[in-house]
Amino acid sequence: MIKQLKKAFVWYYMLNKRLIKKIGFLLILATIPLLTFSFTNFVDTEETGILRIALVAEDAEDESAKEIIADCESSTAFAFEAMDSVEDARIAVENGSVDAAWIFSTDFDGKVESIVDGGDESLVTVYAVDDGIFFRASREKIFSVFLPKISYAMYVSHTSDMLPEEATVSEEELNEYYLKYGDEEKIIDFAFLDSEQAPVEDVNFLTSTVRGLLAAVMLLCGLASTMYFISDEKKGTYSWLTSKKRLTVLLSSNFAALFMAGVFVAVSLYLSHNFTSLLRETVALLLFALCASAFCAILGAIFGSVGRLSLVLPTMLLASLVLCPVFFNINIAKPIQVLLPPYLYLYAVNDIKMVKWMVLYAVCATAVAYILYCVVRNKEVPSLSKKRG
Amino acid sequence: MSKFIRYLNAQLKRTVKVYPVILIFTCLITACVMVLLSVLLSQNNSKEADTKISVGLVGDTSESYLDIGISVIKEFDSTKYYIELIEMEQDEAEKRLLSGELMGYIVVPEDFVESIVSGENKHLTYYTDNSPATFGPTIMNEIVNIISDLLIEAQSGIYSMIDVGEKYEVDDETVDDAVNELNLEYISTVLGREGYYDVQFIGIGNGLGFTDYYFYAFFTLLLMLWGMTCIHLRIRTDMSLPRLLKSRGVGATSQVICDYIPYFIIMYLSAVVLALLCAKFGKGMGLAFTETVTGAGDYFMLAVRLVPAVAVISAMQFLLYEMSTNIISGVLLQLVTTVGLAYASGFFYPLSYFPKSVRTVAEYLPTRAVFNYASTAFLGKNSDALMLFIFFVAFIVLSVAVRTYRMRGDRV
């Protein structure tokens, strides 16, 4: 057993030798967990939000507006920032330090009363530079911020109208009744299809991108391994091997490089609070390494030289970052998206059903690599063993 | 001096020779980035019917009040402009959620409305896409919470009114009428909520709209990606020639300048062509600078103003190439640096999404400096290029230092 382990380790070292010897490469891998850890710490300890919104009371003395501003709690979607004057808020929107500003108008309570009496009043002025989907969603938030005021005023008005004239009910009593129901728990539960997923309040969109970025880095490691293989092959290092055996070496060295990167990735995921469970992460990363090994071998067979491959890499990286759900979830070219291993991996981590597709992908991609390598490349790269044969 | 000119001439000739290949890959990368940019911009433009957030509605929606409520939301509510409710079976909803067609789906339990009326409050469940790292769940969670709050506020008002009515022995008919009135007023308030706030789209100062922001971000990203097409030209695996040149009087500084100039020209040509094409044909994309850059003089000035931006990015990449001893490490270094700097500079997510400390650090990154410069230079405004100048000098000086070090026979 120990002998076999030793043999496996020697093989692993042999396959990874080129990469392990590169201090720069190891440094890049080692800094990844450090960077993700520091970044996660920043994000966890400081306020972040998709939109930064400035809050200002037009009349600095208006208690009602001040109370609403104080009650606005930042979330992962909207980060609120109280400001002192309308002018400051306007300038902040103009210079881009905030995305929007909400200006709560003067005599807020008076205007709410007027609305309840059927008046047409504007309670908030919004300064924005855009009207995209997030800005529209933020405006729903404005309404929910001042709705309690309107709702309460409506309840008081209608209840007073309902009661007979002789009934005397105090404001405190009405308030007491109203507050009794204020602590109701939320009527809509938020759930992921996957029960192991963290509650959405715990998921920060900034740290959750870490997984996608790490997948792209892993793919790069696989491609680097393929380039080293091609470079060695051109030098004649593998001349004594048949094409079939060369493909085995290529796939194994790609897998070995991806496995090494996978270990650093797993540590980074743990440090960035993106780690789900040991079994799930291990299975997903191993399958990703298999798929990516075959994918890189296919690219190696198609482009055939380090130079050509290096020219394709930027496009490949960009496609991995944009077409796979790393930053955005774009569904435009599904047939192309599913060909990218990070796409399958990012879904498989969250949806166990995708695992079978990864297995299928790994098998098919290996078959394609075999055909390309043994049929197409066989003619291009001379083999000593073939000559001998 | 003549040796300097001769070496520069040789470098220019060498560049011209490989330029067709560089151009092909430059066009390929540009096309990819432009397609991605247009997809991204169209996703943000929720006025387009096909960019609505699609949400499935499954379960018991047959109750008359719920049915009316759903129809009202679909027809009259302002959310109809960005949320599309689609009724379907749970299996289909799950399938469409996994395929990315739906952002999520809401499961309505049996007798939901009845439970709300009686105060039992059965819960709706919003199932979201378990896809990784997107804004969808974050925004939808916010909207779901808002809807939940609205329902609770309305319930508080109605139940409290019923309680008060009971306490003061108001007859049932009067209470029912009052409840109906209050209900209708709540519904009318919710549907007319857009009337309670004025939205003013203020002119863009230094702040950028979504379209402009991503245009400048992707422009800077493109500058970095284009640089990678010159990898064959720039990676030096063997230092024999630099050593020979040095022995003939062309020192490290002259070599670096002569090597840098053709590289800069290639990058600059691509940048100018793209900028002018966008200025000429980018009106449909809603880019602000297309309004100010209109005549030949504006085009010329835009081309001139691009010089510092291109110079800094090309000098930065030049330094990375100097540090690389072979193509593979060169490619890896370039790619990792590009992704890292682009992410930290807010090219994928706007910088305003990041915590303050990251934003502070980002302002000192060369890529962010180029982004800031480009966002004002394109608009024809005076841009402060001092920071770019400092970066440029630093990169060139470091490149000379690395070249000198490598010529001594050591490897970095």
Side-chain angles (χ1 to χ4, degrees), chain A residues 336-348:
Chain A
I336 297 173
Q337 287 175 304
V338 294
L339 290 179
L340 299 165
Y343 182 87
L344 295 172
Y345 163 70
L346 292 174
Y347 272 103

Side-chain angles (χ1 to χ4, degrees), chain A residues 261-328:
Chain A
V263 173
F264 285 92
V265 165
V267 174
S268 306
L269 289 173
Y270 181 76
L271 293 173
S272 62
H273 313 316
N274 278 300
F275 201 84
T276 53
S277 70
L278 187 64
L279 179 69
R280 181 176 285 228
E281 293 293 345
T282 311
V283 169
L285 277 171
L286 282 175
L287 282 172
F288 177 52
L290 276 175
C291 294
S293 303
F295 178 77
C296 296
I298 291 173
L299 289 184
I302 292 172
F303 295 102
S305 83
V306 172
R308 283 196 289 263
L309 202 51
S310 66
L311 287 172
V312 177
L313 277 190
T315 318
M316 201 55 66
L317 180 75
L318 203 63
S320 297
L321 292 178
V322 182
L323 292 179
C324 302
V326 179
F327 299 106
F328 317 101

Side-chain angles (χ1 to χ4, degrees), chain B residues 5 12 31 39-40 72 82 97 100 122 144 146 181 216 227 251 264 268 270 326 332 336 352 368:
Chain B
I5 299 290
L12 286 169
V39 168
L40 194 63
V72 167
Y82 64 95
L97 178 60
K122 281 187 177 175
V144 163
I146 291 167
E181 265 183 48
Y216 299 122
F264 166 78
Y268 182 67
S270 305
N326 62 55
L332 286 180
V336 171
S352 58
R368 187 68 193 179

